[in-house]
Amino acid sequence: MRRSMAAALVLGLITLFLGAVGAGTANAAETKTATMTLSGSGEDPLLRTLIHCDGCAPDAIFDCGDDCEITAGIKFGVTTQLEWSAPFTVRTTHDPADIHQGDTTNVSNTVSAGAGTMRVRFAVPWEAGLFACGGSFKPCGPKGTDDWQSTNYRVSGTLTMTSAPVTCTPPITGLGPVACNYSASATVLPETCIDPACLVDIQARLGVTGTVSVDAAGVIVSRTATFHGAKDLTVASSPAADDLAIPCSAAAGTDLVYGVGPATYRSPSVRATGNLGLNIYVDGPGPANLEENIGLASGTIFDQPLSLTGGSRTNHNLGDVQRDAIAPRITGVQQAGTFVEGANVGFSATVTDNCLGNGASYAWAFSDGGSANGNPAQHAFADNGSYTGKLTVSDAGGNPVSHDFAVQPISNAPPSATATPVGTAFWGVPVSFHASAVDPGPADQATLTYAWTFGDGGTAAGADVTHTYANPGAYTAKVTVTDKDGGVGTATVTATIAKRATATTYTGPRKSLPLLRVTLTGRLVDGLGNPVTGRTLRFALGSHTDTGRTNQSGNASGSVVPPILLGTTNVKASFAGDAFYEPSQDGPYPFRVGIL
């Protein structure tokens, strides 16, 4: 008892183990990765301004014409530039066992971004020195930035102010925006003067601090795949489906290669805010000494969409194309025909399948033991009755499906009868009759029976019979052929029954004495050589005649007196014929009358 319980426990553990193994291998999804670095930049013009000091350059000490005004300052423009690069990883998940001819394999992609490097750069083209308006320069107008014109007393250059590298990870759709802080500073103008003889030195320094806010976006990944062309996929943090249809024509064993990259990350809004300021220190005589902090811009200093592009294609082998694994579906069987035994019934099927094609096979089996192939197909049932059928369809991949159906009832068909013509025969003589018949149902052929009527009240049974007609005439003989199920076929034939030919023979004398009565004799037989009894023979000796009736031997006699005393006359015997016999005659023969 303990041993059997232990064996049962071991078997149970083995079963659980195998079940766990099976469960572990049921879902064989694989994930492949492709990492690529994307980079991009953008710029946004921020401002153009002039920071100047009228008192630092008195108008009287410069000669630039009437109504000319002079100012000392710095004129510059600022363009905000943003540079960013970051690694992106595209994860492609699929099931290698899910790649079949004529099916769709499910591929999904997600993307994640790694820590990127961002730099905020400010391009500052500047000029510092004396600026003038009026006099020999254009009118002063409202004395805006562009109203002041450069003079020969100036220096210029382009300053690039770049923040330290900022770690900034691009946000992916579904994860929300990110904010990255930055700061930068640069000397615009060192403590210098535009002319050794001038009395004023000017020093300027530019500085900025702020935050870059980036809205989340998806990554547009260029994808290629075997059997498919290139396609752009928008991939985010949530799985993006990319269903690939595998054509039925794909050869089994072909690698499904899936290419990922290059890619583009395009944030719809990259917005940099900050405080951009200028510190100016003027070292001049007396009241010309000053230091001033000037705020140039505060708030949004960059607001543009930004694209990061790059990377190269990484090809993943998702697995081999496997043979079609989806069985066809039979949605209906249609039947057409007369539905009688022995006649072909047409069968056709409505079948749907992902890979039906020219490689499909159709096998029909019927309950009478018959079979057929193809779609459409035909089959003839040998006998009437109720039958069933089964259709088995196998597609090009060898996936079978079967469908049982009832055949419409098959009805009986009557036999077709033929009787052989008999021509002309004589009454009293057996006439042979032959009939044949074909039953459309082969199963009925051996069961056929033949029944004859001959038009004179006589009957017979069988395919080959004889019948004797008692009277001449035209008779219609009819044969009725019946199968085991009561199906009837008929045929008729005309039998012409003729009179019999006869032969009359004069058997009496051919001479006699004058004035003595002479007995004349004769015999009557039919064409078959049989004596004809009870018929009248007529005897003629010259102009004298007499008749006699035939006896059982066909003999008859009559007596006459020769019509002459001496000489030769004629003698003959004849039969006039009747409803049964044709007429006949023998003679005339010479008959001598005289002294013998």
Side-chain angles (χ1 to χ4, degrees):
M1 184 67 170
R2 291 181 179 178
R3 184 170 299 175
S4 60
M5 291 180 61
L9 179 60
V10 170
L11 289 174
L13 291 174
I14 292 174
T15 302
L16 290 174
F17 172 75
L18 293 177
V21 171
T25 59
N27 183 1
E30 295 181 356
T31 299
K32 301 179 183 294
T33 61
T35 299
M36 58 197 83
T37 298
L38 310 184
S39 60
S41 63
E43 65 178 32
D44 194 1
L46 179 60
L47 60 87
R48 177 176 170 79
T49 189
L50 171 66
I51 308 298
H52 62 99
C53 172
D54 284 344
C56 296
D59 297 338
I61 64 173
F62 293 98
D63 183 11
C64 55
D66 295 339
D67 299 324
C68 177
E69 296 187 26
I70 299 296
T71 188
I74 300 175
K75 181 188 287 189
F76 59 91
V78 178
T79 297
T80 306
Q81 299 174 337
L82 193 146
E83 298 177 352
W84 199 7
S85 66
F88 290 80
T89 299
V90 178
R91 292 173 174 81
T92 301
T93 301
H94 73 293
D95 184 352
D98 191 32
I99 306 173
H100 292 90
Q101 297 165 329
D103 200 0
T104 298
T105 185
N106 305 115
V107 180
S108 65
N109 294 281
T110 60
V111 67
S112 61
T117 300
M118 179 184 290
R119 287 182 174 85
V120 181
R121 178 177 289 115
F122 298 88
V124 185
W126 60 271
E127 56 181 323
L130 300 181
F131 299 88
C133 65
S136 59
F137 294 88
K138 75 175 185 179
C140 289
K143 296 182 181 180
T145 298
D146 292 328
D147 292 327
W148 293 103
Q149 299 176 63
S150 301
T151 69
N152 293 331
Y153 299 96
R154 66 184 179 87
V155 291
S156 63
T158 298
L159 172 71
T160 299
M161 179 174 64
T162 304
S163 71
V166 177
T167 300
C168 192
T169 301
I172 303 299
T173 300
L175 300 180
V178 299
C180 305
N181 298 324
Y182 70 93
S183 63
S185 63
T187 299
V188 178
L189 183 67
E191 186 174 349
T192 186
C193 182
I194 60 175
D195 189 286
C198 72
L199 303 176
V200 179
D201 289 332
I202 302 175
Q203 178 181 342
R205 186 169 181 81
L206 195 65
V208 64
T209 59
T211 301
V212 178
S213 297
V214 183
D215 285 349
V219 176
I220 300 174
V221 179
S222 177
R223 181 274 287 157
T224 60
T226 307
F227 316 117
H228 296 268
K231 179 181 179 180
D232 288 340
L233 304 175
T234 299
V235 183
S237 57
S238 298
D242 183 21
D243 294 338
L244 301 178
I246 308 301
C248 296
S249 58
T254 302
D255 291 338
L256 177 58
V257 178
Y258 190 86
V260 176
T264 298
Y265 173 85
R266 181 176 175 82
S267 174
S269 176
V270 177
R271 196 168 47 258
T273 59
N275 296 311
L276 178 63
L278 182 67
N279 174 266
I280 297 179
Y281 175 74
V282 179
D283 184 10
N289 287 323
L290 65 90
E291 181 177 4
E292 186 173 358
N293 291 310
I294 302 171
L296 300 178
S298 179
T300 300
I301 60 175
F302 181 95
D303 191 357
Q304 296 287 335
L306 184 64
S307 294
L308 308 184
T309 61
S312 59
R313 181 179 301 165
T314 299
N315 289 325
H316 303 313
N317 186 351
L318 301 188
D320 295 342
V321 174
Q322 302 174 44
R323 294 183 65 85
D324 173 28
I326 300 176
R329 180 170 174 261
I330 302 173
T331 58
V333 171
Q334 296 78 44
Q335 305 175 42
T338 57
F339 300 98
V340 296
E341 61 184 11
N344 277 327
V345 178
F347 296 92
S348 61
T350 303
V351 181
T352 59
D353 186 48
N354 59 323
C355 284
L356 199 59
N358 295 328
S361 64
Y362 299 79
W364 305 79
F366 302 97
S367 58
D368 67 343
S371 62
N373 293 286
N375 188 28
Q378 291 183 331
H379 178 63
F381 294 90
D383 201 3
N384 55 296
S386 297
Y387 299 93
T388 59
K390 173 180 282 190
L391 169 62
T392 300
V393 179
S394 296
D395 61 16
N399 303 296
V401 64
S402 295
H403 175 74
D404 294 318
F405 61 93
V407 178
Q408 294 188 38
I410 303 300
S411 60
N412 186 55
S416 175
T418 302
T420 303
V422 297
T424 300
F426 296 109
W427 62 268
V429 177
V431 180
S432 296
F433 293 87
H434 171 74
S436 61
V438 176
D439 196 293
D444 289 348
Q445 188 68 38
T447 72
L448 299 181
T449 60
Y450 298 78
W452 291 86
T453 60
F454 298 104
D456 65 349
T459 61
D464 294 284
V465 297
T466 59
H467 179 66
T468 301
Y469 286 94
N471 298 298
Y475 296 89
T476 299
K478 179 180 180 181
V479 61
T480 299
V481 183
T482 306
D483 66 18
K484 64 178 177 57
D485 301 303
V488 173
T490 61
T492 59
V493 64
T494 299
T496 301
I497 305 302
K499 298 177 183 180
R500 292 186 190 180
T502 60
T504 300
T505 304
Y506 175 71
T507 60
R510 296 191 184 187
K511 62 184 179 179
S512 73
L513 295 174
L515 303 177
L516 295 178
R517 183 171 290 276
V518 180
T519 298
L520 305 178
T521 61
R523 189 168 187 264
L524 182 64
V525 296
D526 62 18
L528 301 177
N530 299 317
V532 179
T533 62
R535 274 16 180 217
T536 300
L537 287 183
R538 182 177 180 275
F539 300 96
L541 179 60
S543 59
H544 293 179
T545 63
D546 193 12
T547 61
R549 197 161 186 82
T550 59
N551 59 20
Q552 293 297 321
S553 298
N555 296 318
S557 64
S559 64
V560 295
V561 176
I564 60 173
L565 294 177
L566 294 171
T568 300
T569 185
N570 294 319
V571 65
K572 64 180 179 180
S574 62
F575 172 58
D578 58 17
F580 293 89
Y581 294 98
E582 298 289 348
S584 61
Q585 174 181 302
D586 188 26
Y589 299 106
F591 192 93
R592 182 169 173 262
V593 180
I595 301 299
L596 302 178

